[in-house]
Amino acid sequence: MSQAHEVPLTEASFRASAAGRLGRPDPEHSPGPPRSTAEPPGVPVGEGGPCGTPHAALTAAPLRRARSAAPRWGWRGRVHRWTGGRVSPVPSAAERGWAGALRAVQVTFAGPRTIVFVNPKGGAATTTSVLMAGRTFGVHRGGGVVAFDSNETRGTLGERALPAGHANTVRELLAHLDLFERPAARLGDLAAFTRGQGPAHFDVLASDERPTAAGQLDGDAFDRLHELLRRYYQLVLVDTGNNLRASNWLAAARQADLIAVTTTVSEDTASAALWMADTLERDVLGAGALKQRGVALVSEPGPAGGGVPREAVLGAFSERCAAAVRVPHDPALAGGGPVDHSRIRPSTHTAWLYACAALASTLSALPEGRSVRASR
């Protein structure tokens, strides 16, 4: 018996498939010129830089400011140090790109900001993305970052984070919220409920981990916890569950200053994220909202990839979001158990610096003086 020939998935077939799942016309036959997904100048993908022109535009100003800095890398840095700065070569394109991304990550916001990480399908690297963003922002901003597991039942953020000297979770904090409604409340008191991540310089608030516990985190509980965290932290990163109809999931989407759409280079995960994007804009955020305040984080699911051209996934999400950024596969992030940040490859940390630069740049580009959150 002859086997059927498997047609390789191309950008056109991926978009057609995604469009079919969403009930939209095939984008390849829609009017308008195609969007470019070329690499931004001076930020090679081998150095962990972002893919797609939107992020290049977002970080153009930090990159320009970084060009005047003294070199630190390679032979240029050695020459600068050996001559006491009398001979100072221009930093390489890779170093200028890294310095520009660092400046973007360290930007000062006008107040606390909330980034909500979403994908309705499991295996979309949502929890991993929250942990890596928490570490990147925590290290390069000097703390003031909390990752909050808003799964309505039992999430995995607490399992992947470093343990603490207590087993308290969202449930216990909700039961003691009155302690933080008093004038004498202190940030240090939250340490009885959060889990410090050591040299990663961020905290984790885990979801309820007891298999026999009754009840769920609802929308009102999310709003109360979110308001508390915004009082004590500059950045609140929210790990969400898979139920788009859950009241706490909807509350997180409404409270978000920025939506981080997580996906892998696989058709089912990317299609689920595109379907979710349509649902979010139709029912919660309003048409075109993700183009203003959405960033797609596109992860490689493994060393062999996911069978879909990376450029096809990046192109699809760069059309829907303000930026689409690639993050590579790293064996240290695969599997379960606490993430050991010391085992993560330097190139992965660099890639996440660029990813967080896209998140921070999009946040800083939002209109000043007015709320960008969805109305209830």
Side-chain angles (χ1 to χ4, degrees), residues 94-179:
E95 184 174 357
R96 295 198 307 270
W98 188 93
L102 179 63
R103 289 171 182 263
V105 166
Q106 294 175 337
V107 68
T108 299
F109 302 119
R113 295 291 184 264
T114 299
I115 305 175
V116 176
F117 294 71
V118 292
N119 190 309
K121 189 178 185 305
T126 303
T127 297
T128 302
S129 296
V130 172
L131 289 169
M132 288 305 299
R135 184 263 174 198
T136 304
F137 280 123
V139 167
H140 295 297
R141 292 178 66 90
V145 181
V146 64
F148 167 26
D149 194 339
S150 179
N151 197 298
E152 61 270 18
T153 52
R154 184 176 183 270
T156 58
L157 184 64
E159 294 178 358
R160 304 301 312 274
L162 296 179
H166 62 77
N168 292 333
T169 65
V170 163
R171 177 183 289 270
E172 285 73 30
L173 181 54
L174 278 171
H176 294 86
L177 275 182
D178 61 304
L179 296 176

Coordinates of all heavy atoms in Angstrom, one line a residue, residues 94-179:
A94 N 26.4 43.8 17.7 CA 25.7 42.9 18.7 C 25.7 43.6 20.1 O 24.7 43.5 20.8 CB 26.5 41.6 18.8
E95 N 26.8 44.3 20.5 CA 26.9 44.9 21.8 C 26.0 46.1 21.8 O 25.3 46.4 22.8 CB 28.3 45.4 22.1 CG 28.4 46.0 23.5 CD 29.9 46.3 23.9 OE1 30.8 46.0 23.1 OE2 30.1 46.9 25.0
R96 N 25.9 46.9 20.7 CA 24.9 48.0 20.7 C 23.5 47.5 20.8 O 22.7 48.1 21.5 CB 25.1 48.8 19.4 CG 26.4 49.5 19.3 CD 26.4 50.6 18.2 NE 25.9 50.2 16.9 CZ 26.6 49.7 15.9 NH1 28.0 49.6 16.1 NH2 26.1 49.3 14.8
G97 N 23.2 46.4 20.2 CA 21.8 45.9 20.3 C 21.5 45.4 21.7 O 20.4 45.7 22.2
W98 N 22.5 44.7 22.3 CA 22.3 44.3 23.7 C 22.1 45.5 24.6 O 21.2 45.5 25.5 CB 23.5 43.5 24.1 CG 23.3 42.8 25.5 CD1 22.9 41.5 25.7 CD2 23.6 43.3 26.7 NE1 22.9 41.2 27.0 CE2 23.3 42.3 27.7 CE3 24.1 44.5 27.2 CZ2 23.5 42.5 29.1 CZ3 24.3 44.7 28.5 CH2 24.0 43.7 29.5
A99 N 22.9 46.5 24.5 CA 22.8 47.7 25.3 C 21.5 48.4 25.1 O 20.9 48.9 26.1 CB 24.0 48.6 25.1
G100 N 21.0 48.5 23.9 CA 19.8 49.1 23.6 C 18.6 48.3 24.3 O 17.7 48.9 24.8
A101 N 18.7 47.0 24.2 CA 17.6 46.2 24.9 C 17.7 46.4 26.4 O 16.6 46.4 27.0 CB 17.8 44.7 24.5
L102 N 18.9 46.5 26.9 CA 19.0 46.7 28.4 C 18.3 48.0 28.8 O 17.6 48.1 29.8 CB 20.4 46.6 28.8 CG 20.7 46.9 30.3 CD1 20.1 45.8 31.1 CD2 22.2 46.9 30.5
R103 N 18.6 49.1 28.0 CA 18.0 50.4 28.3 C 16.5 50.3 28.2 O 15.8 50.9 29.0 CB 18.5 51.4 27.4 CG 20.0 51.8 27.6 CD 20.5 52.7 26.5 NE 21.9 53.0 26.7 CZ 22.3 54.2 27.2 NH1 21.5 55.1 27.6 NH2 23.6 54.4 27.3
A104 N 16.0 49.6 27.3 CA 14.5 49.4 27.1 C 13.9 48.7 28.4 O 12.9 49.1 28.9 CB 14.2 48.7 25.9
V105 N 14.6 47.6 28.8 CA 14.1 46.9 30.0 C 14.1 47.7 31.2 O 13.3 47.6 32.1 CB 15.0 45.6 30.2 CG1 14.7 45.0 31.5 CG2 14.6 44.6 29.1
Q106 N 15.1 48.6 31.4 CA 15.2 49.5 32.6 C 14.5 50.8 32.5 O 14.6 51.6 33.4 CB 16.7 49.8 32.8 CG 17.5 48.5 33.1 CD 19.0 48.8 33.2 OE1 19.5 49.8 32.6 NE2 19.7 47.9 33.9
V107 N 13.6 50.9 31.5 CA 12.8 52.2 31.4 C 12.0 52.4 32.7 O 11.5 51.4 33.3 CB 12.0 52.2 30.1 CG1 10.8 51.1 30.3 CG2 11.4 53.5 29.8
T108 N 11.8 53.7 33.0 CA 11.0 54.0 34.2 C 9.5 54.2 33.8 O 9.3 55.0 32.9 CB 11.5 55.3 34.9 OG1 12.8 55.0 35.3 CG2 10.6 55.6 36.1
F109 N 8.6 53.5 34.4 CA 7.2 53.7 34.1 C 6.6 54.7 35.0 O 7.1 54.9 36.1 CB 6.5 52.3 34.2 CG 7.0 51.2 33.3 CD1 7.5 50.1 33.8 CD2 7.0 51.4 31.9 CE1 8.0 49.1 33.0 CE2 7.5 50.4 31.1 CZ 8.0 49.2 31.6
A110 N 5.4 55.2 34.6 CA 4.8 56.3 35.4 C 4.1 55.7 36.6 O 3.6 56.4 37.5 CB 3.8 57.1 34.6
G111 N 4.0 54.4 36.7 CA 3.3 53.7 37.8 C 3.4 52.2 37.7 O 4.1 51.7 36.8
P112 N 2.8 51.4 38.5 CA 2.9 50.0 38.4 C 2.3 49.5 37.1 O 1.3 50.1 36.6 CB 2.1 49.5 39.6 CG 1.2 50.6 40.0 CD 1.9 51.9 39.7
R113 N 2.8 48.5 36.6 CA 2.4 47.9 35.3 C 2.1 46.4 35.4 O 2.8 45.7 36.1 CB 3.4 48.2 34.2 CG 3.6 49.7 33.9 CD 2.4 50.3 33.2 NE 2.6 51.7 32.8 CZ 2.2 52.7 33.5 NH1 1.7 52.5 34.7 NH2 2.4 53.9 33.0
T114 N 1.1 46.0 34.7 CA 0.7 44.6 34.8 C 0.8 44.0 33.4 O 0.2 44.5 32.4 CB -0.7 44.4 35.3 OG1 -0.8 44.9 36.6 CG2 -1.2 42.9 35.3
I115 N 1.5 42.8 33.3 CA 1.6 42.1 32.0 C 1.0 40.7 32.2 O 1.3 40.0 33.2 CB 3.1 41.9 31.6 CG1 3.8 43.2 31.5 CG2 3.2 41.2 30.3 CD1 5.3 43.1 31.2
V116 N 0.0 40.4 31.4 CA -0.7 39.2 31.6 C -0.3 38.2 30.4 O -0.4 38.6 29.2 CB -2.3 39.4 31.5 CG1 -3.0 38.1 31.6 CG2 -2.7 40.3 32.7
F117 N 0.1 37.0 30.8 CA 0.6 36.0 29.8 C -0.5 35.0 29.5 O -1.1 34.4 30.4 CB 1.8 35.3 30.3 CG 3.0 36.2 30.5 CD1 3.1 37.2 31.5 CD2 4.1 36.1 29.7 CE1 4.2 38.0 31.7 CE2 5.2 36.9 29.8 CZ 5.2 37.8 30.8
V118 N -0.9 34.9 28.2 CA -2.1 34.1 27.9 C -1.9 33.2 26.7 O -1.1 33.5 25.8 CB -3.2 35.1 27.5 CG1 -3.7 35.8 28.7 CG2 -2.9 36.0 26.4
N119 N -2.5 32.0 26.8 CA -2.7 31.1 25.7 C -3.6 30.0 26.2 O -3.4 29.5 27.3 CB -1.4 30.4 25.2 CG -1.7 29.7 23.9 OD1 -2.6 28.8 23.8 ND2 -0.9 29.9 22.8
P120 N -4.8 29.7 25.6 CA -5.7 28.8 26.1 C -5.3 27.3 26.0 O -6.0 26.4 26.6 CB -7.0 29.0 25.3 CG -6.4 29.5 24.0 CD -5.2 30.3 24.3
K121 N -4.2 27.0 25.4 CA -3.7 25.6 25.2 C -2.5 25.3 26.1 O -1.6 26.1 26.2 CB -3.3 25.4 23.7 CG -3.1 23.9 23.4 CD -2.8 23.8 21.9 CE -2.6 22.3 21.6 NZ -1.7 21.6 22.5
G122 N -2.6 24.2 26.7 CA -1.4 23.7 27.5 C -0.2 23.5 26.6 O -0.3 23.3 25.4
G123 N 1.0 23.6 27.2 CA 2.2 23.4 26.4 C 2.6 24.6 25.6 O 3.4 24.4 24.6
A124 N 2.1 25.7 25.8 CA 2.4 26.9 25.1 C 3.5 27.8 25.7 O 3.7 28.9 25.3 CB 1.1 27.8 24.9
A125 N 4.2 27.2 26.7 CA 5.3 27.9 27.4 C 4.9 29.1 28.1 O 5.7 30.0 28.3 CB 6.4 28.3 26.4
T126 N 3.6 29.2 28.6 CA 3.1 30.3 29.3 C 3.8 30.5 30.7 O 4.3 31.6 31.0 CB 1.6 30.2 29.5 OG1 1.0 30.1 28.2 CG2 1.1 31.5 30.2
T127 N 3.8 29.4 31.4 CA 4.5 29.5 32.8 C 6.0 29.7 32.6 O 6.6 30.5 33.4 CB 4.2 28.2 33.6 OG1 2.8 28.1 33.8 CG2 4.9 28.2 34.9
T128 N 6.6 29.1 31.7 CA 8.0 29.3 31.5 C 8.3 30.7 31.1 O 9.3 31.3 31.5 CB 8.5 28.3 30.4 OG1 8.3 27.0 30.7 CG2 10.0 28.5 30.1
S129 N 7.5 31.3 30.3 CA 7.6 32.7 29.9 C 7.5 33.6 31.1 O 8.3 34.6 31.2 CB 6.6 33.1 28.8 OG 6.8 32.3 27.6
V130 N 6.6 33.4 31.9 CA 6.4 34.2 33.1 C 7.7 34.1 34.0 O 8.2 35.1 34.5 CB 5.2 33.7 33.9 CG1 5.1 34.5 35.3 CG2 3.9 34.0 33.2
L131 N 8.2 32.9 34.2 CA 9.4 32.8 35.0 C 10.6 33.5 34.4 O 11.4 34.1 35.1 CB 9.7 31.3 35.2 CG 8.8 30.5 36.1 CD1 9.0 29.0 36.1 CD2 8.9 31.0 37.6
M132 N 10.8 33.3 33.1 CA 11.9 34.0 32.4 C 11.8 35.5 32.4 O 12.8 36.2 32.5 CB 12.1 33.4 31.0 CG 12.6 32.0 31.0 SD 14.2 31.7 31.9 CE 15.3 32.8 31.0
A133 N 10.6 36.0 32.2 CA 10.4 37.4 32.2 C 10.6 37.9 33.6 O 11.2 39.0 33.8 CB 9.0 37.7 31.7
G134 N 10.1 37.2 34.6 CA 10.4 37.6 36.0 C 11.8 37.7 36.3 O 12.3 38.7 36.9
R135 N 12.6 36.7 35.9 CA 14.0 36.7 36.1 C 14.7 37.9 35.4 O 15.5 38.6 35.9 CB 14.6 35.4 35.7 CG 16.1 35.3 36.0 CD 17.0 35.6 34.8 NE 18.4 35.6 35.2 CZ 19.3 36.2 34.4 NH1 19.0 36.8 33.3 NH2 20.6 36.2 34.8
T136 N 14.3 38.1 34.1 CA 15.0 39.1 33.3 C 14.7 40.5 33.9 O 15.6 41.3 34.1 CB 14.5 39.0 31.9 OG1 14.8 37.7 31.4 CG2 15.3 40.0 31.0
F137 N 13.4 40.8 34.1 CA 13.1 42.1 34.7 C 13.7 42.2 36.1 O 14.1 43.3 36.5 CB 11.5 42.2 34.7 CG 10.9 42.6 33.4 CD1 9.9 41.9 32.8 CD2 11.3 43.8 32.8 CE1 9.4 42.2 31.6 CE2 10.7 44.2 31.6 CZ 9.8 43.4 31.0
G138 N 13.6 41.2 36.9 CA 14.1 41.3 38.3 C 15.6 41.6 38.3 O 16.0 42.5 39.1
V139 N 16.4 40.9 37.5 CA 17.8 41.1 37.5 C 18.2 42.5 37.0 O 19.0 43.2 37.6 CB 18.5 40.0 36.7 CG1 20.0 40.3 36.5 CG2 18.4 38.6 37.5
H140 N 17.6 42.8 35.9 CA 18.1 44.1 35.2 C 17.4 45.3 35.7 O 17.8 46.4 35.4 CB 17.9 43.9 33.7 CG 18.7 42.8 33.1 ND1 20.1 42.9 33.1 CD2 18.4 41.7 32.4 CE1 20.6 41.8 32.5 NE2 19.6 41.1 32.1
R141 N 16.3 45.2 36.4 CA 15.6 46.3 37.0 C 15.9 46.4 38.5 O 15.5 47.4 39.2 CB 14.1 46.3 36.8 CG 13.7 46.5 35.3 CD 12.2 46.4 35.1 NE 11.5 47.5 35.8 CZ 11.2 48.6 35.3 NH1 11.5 48.9 34.0 NH2 10.5 49.6 35.9
G142 N 16.5 45.4 39.1 CA 16.8 45.5 40.5 C 15.7 45.1 41.4 O 15.7 45.6 42.6
G143 N 14.8 44.2 41.0 CA 13.7 43.8 41.8 C 12.4 44.5 41.5 O 12.2 45.1 40.5
G144 N 11.5 44.5 42.5 CA 10.2 45.1 42.3 C 9.3 44.4 41.4 O 8.4 45.0 40.8
V145 N 9.5 43.1 41.2 CA 8.7 42.3 40.3 C 8.1 41.1 41.0 O 8.7 40.4 41.8 CB 9.6 41.7 39.1 CG1 8.9 40.9 38.1 CG2 10.4 42.9 38.4
V146 N 6.8 40.8 40.7 CA 6.2 39.6 41.3 C 5.5 38.9 40.1 O 4.9 39.5 39.2 CB 5.1 40.0 42.4 CG1 4.0 40.9 41.8 CG2 4.6 38.8 43.1
A147 N 5.5 37.6 40.2 CA 4.8 36.7 39.3 C 3.7 36.0 40.0 O 3.9 35.4 41.1 CB 5.7 35.6 38.7
F148 N 2.5 36.2 39.5 CA 1.2 35.8 40.2 C 0.5 34.7 39.4 O 0.2 34.9 38.2 CB 0.4 37.0 40.4 CG -1.1 36.8 40.8 CD1 -1.5 35.7 41.5 CD2 -2.0 37.8 40.5 CE1 -2.8 35.6 41.9 CE2 -3.3 37.6 40.8 CZ -3.7 36.5 41.5
D149 N 0.3 33.5 40.0 CA -0.4 32.4 39.3 C -1.9 32.6 39.5 O -2.4 32.4 40.6 CB 0.1 31.1 39.9 CG -0.3 29.9 39.0 OD1 -1.3 30.1 38.2 OD2 0.3 28.8 39.1
S150 N -2.5 33.0 38.5 CA -4.0 33.3 38.5 C -4.8 32.1 38.0 O -6.0 32.4 37.6 CB -4.3 34.6 37.8 OG -5.7 34.9 37.8
N151 N -4.3 30.9 38.0 CA -5.1 29.8 37.6 C -6.2 29.6 38.5 O -6.0 29.7 39.7 CB -4.2 28.5 37.5 CG -4.9 27.4 36.7 OD1 -5.9 26.9 37.1 ND2 -4.2 27.0 35.7
E152 N -7.4 29.4 38.0 CA -8.6 29.3 38.9 C -8.6 28.2 39.8 O -9.3 28.2 40.9 CB -9.9 29.3 38.0 CG -10.1 28.1 37.1 CD -9.5 28.4 35.7 OE1 -8.7 29.3 35.6 OE2 -9.9 27.7 34.8
T153 N -7.8 27.1 39.5 CA -7.7 26.0 40.4 C -6.3 25.8 40.8 O -5.8 26.4 41.7 CB -8.3 24.7 39.8 OG1 -7.6 24.5 38.5 CG2 -9.8 24.8 39.6
R154 N -5.6 24.9 40.1 CA -4.2 24.6 40.5 C -3.3 24.8 39.3 O -3.3 24.1 38.3 CB -4.1 23.2 41.0 CG -2.7 22.8 41.5 CD -2.7 21.4 42.0 NE -1.4 21.0 42.5 CZ -0.4 20.4 41.8 NH1 -0.6 20.2 40.6 NH2 0.7 20.1 42.4
G155 N -2.4 25.8 39.4 CA -1.4 26.1 38.3 C -0.1 25.5 38.7 O 0.1 24.8 39.7
T156 N 0.9 25.7 37.8 CA 2.2 25.1 37.9 C 3.3 26.1 38.2 O 4.5 25.7 38.3 CB 2.6 24.3 36.7 OG1 2.5 25.2 35.5 CG2 1.6 23.2 36.4
L157 N 3.0 27.4 38.3 CA 4.0 28.4 38.6 C 4.8 28.1 39.9 O 6.0 28.2 39.9 CB 3.4 29.8 38.6 CG 4.4 30.9 38.8 CD1 5.3 31.0 37.6 CD2 3.6 32.2 38.9
G158 N 4.0 27.7 40.9 CA 4.7 27.4 42.2 C 5.6 26.2 42.1 O 6.6 26.1 42.8
E159 N 5.2 25.2 41.3 CA 6.1 24.0 41.1 C 7.4 24.3 40.4 O 8.4 23.7 40.7 CB 5.3 22.9 40.3 CG 4.1 22.4 41.1 CD 3.4 21.4 40.2 OE1 3.8 21.1 39.1 OE2 2.4 20.8 40.7
R160 N 7.3 25.3 39.4 CA 8.5 25.6 38.6 C 9.4 26.6 39.3 O 10.5 26.8 38.9 CB 8.1 26.1 37.3 CG 7.2 25.3 36.4 CD 7.8 23.9 36.1 NE 9.1 23.9 35.6 CZ 9.5 24.1 34.3 NH1 8.6 24.3 33.4 NH2 10.8 24.0 34.0
A161 N 8.9 27.3 40.4 CA 9.6 28.3 41.1 C 10.4 27.7 42.2 O 10.2 26.6 42.6 CB 8.7 29.4 41.6
L162 N 11.4 28.4 42.7 CA 12.1 28.0 43.9 C 11.2 27.9 45.1 O 10.4 28.8 45.3 CB 13.3 28.9 44.1 CG 14.4 29.0 43.1 CD1 15.5 30.0 43.5 CD2 15.0 27.6 42.8
P163 N 11.4 26.9 45.9 CA 10.5 26.8 47.1 C 10.9 27.8 48.2 O 11.9 28.5 48.1 CB 10.8 25.4 47.6 CG 12.2 25.1 47.2 CD 12.4 25.8 45.9
A164 N 10.0 28.0 49.1 CA 10.1 28.9 50.2 C 10.0 28.1 51.6 O 9.8 26.9 51.6 CB 9.1 30.0 50.2
G165 N 10.2 28.8 52.7 CA 10.1 28.2 54.0 C 8.7 28.1 54.4 O 8.5 27.9 55.6
H166 N 7.7 28.2 53.6 CA 6.3 28.1 53.9 C 5.6 27.5 52.7 O 6.1 27.4 51.6 CB 5.7 29.4 54.3 CG 5.8 30.4 53.2 ND1 4.9 30.4 52.1 CD2 6.6 31.5 52.9 CE1 5.2 31.4 51.3 NE2 6.2 32.1 51.7
A167 N 4.4 27.1 52.9 CA 3.5 26.5 51.9 C 2.4 27.4 51.5 O 1.4 26.9 51.0 CB 3.1 25.1 52.3
N168 N 2.4 28.7 51.9 CA 1.3 29.6 51.7 C 1.1 29.9 50.2 O 2.1 30.0 49.5 CB 1.5 30.8 52.5 CG 1.3 30.6 54.0 OD1 0.7 29.7 54.4 ND2 2.0 31.4 54.8
T169 N -0.1 30.1 49.8 CA -0.4 30.4 48.4 C -1.5 31.5 48.3 O -1.7 32.2 49.3 CB -1.0 29.1 47.8 OG1 -2.3 28.8 48.4 CG2 -0.1 27.9 47.9
V170 N -2.1 31.6 47.2 CA -3.1 32.6 47.0 C -4.2 32.5 48.0 O -4.7 33.5 48.5 CB -3.7 32.5 45.5 CG1 -5.0 33.2 45.4 CG2 -2.7 33.0 44.5
R171 N -4.6 31.2 48.3 CA -5.7 31.0 49.3 C -5.4 31.6 50.6 O -6.3 32.3 51.2 CB -5.9 29.5 49.4 CG -7.0 29.2 50.4 CD -7.2 27.7 50.6 NE -7.8 27.1 49.4 CZ -9.1 27.0 49.2 NH1 -9.9 27.3 50.1 NH2 -9.6 26.4 48.1
E172 N -4.2 31.4 51.2 CA -3.8 32.0 52.5 C -3.8 33.5 52.4 O -4.1 34.2 53.4 CB -2.5 31.4 52.9 CG -2.6 29.9 53.4 CD -2.8 28.9 52.3 OE1 -2.3 29.2 51.2 OE2 -3.4 27.9 52.5
L173 N -3.2 34.0 51.3 CA -3.2 35.5 51.3 C -4.6 36.1 51.2 O -4.8 37.1 51.9 CB -2.4 35.9 50.0 CG -2.2 37.4 49.8 CD1 -1.6 38.1 51.0 CD2 -1.3 37.7 48.6
L174 N -5.5 35.5 50.5 CA -6.8 36.0 50.5 C -7.4 36.0 51.9 O -8.2 36.9 52.2 CB -7.7 35.1 49.5 CG -7.6 35.5 48.0 CD1 -8.3 34.4 47.2 CD2 -8.2 36.8 47.7
A175 N -7.1 35.0 52.6 CA -7.7 34.9 54.0 C -7.1 35.9 54.9 O -7.7 36.2 56.0 CB -7.5 33.5 54.6
H176 N -6.0 36.5 54.6 CA -5.3 37.5 55.4 C -5.2 38.9 54.8 O -4.3 39.7 55.1 CB -3.9 37.0 55.9 CG -4.0 35.8 56.7 ND1 -4.1 34.5 56.2 CD2 -4.0 35.7 58.1 CE1 -4.1 33.6 57.2 NE2 -4.1 34.3 58.4
L177 N -6.0 39.2 53.8 CA -5.9 40.5 53.1 C -6.1 41.6 54.1 O -5.6 42.7 53.8 CB -6.9 40.5 52.0 CG -6.5 39.9 50.6 CD1 -7.6 40.1 49.6 CD2 -5.2 40.5 50.1
D178 N -6.9 41.4 55.1 CA -7.1 42.5 56.1 C -5.8 43.0 56.7 O -5.7 44.2 57.1 CB -8.1 42.1 57.2 CG -7.5 40.9 58.0 OD1 -7.2 39.9 57.4 OD2 -7.4 41.0 59.2
L179 N -4.8 42.2 56.8 CA -3.5 42.6 57.3 C -2.9 43.7 56.5 O -2.1 44.6 57.0 CB -2.5 41.4 57.4 CG -2.9 40.3 58.3 CD1 -1.9 39.1 58.2 CD2 -3.0 40.8 59.8

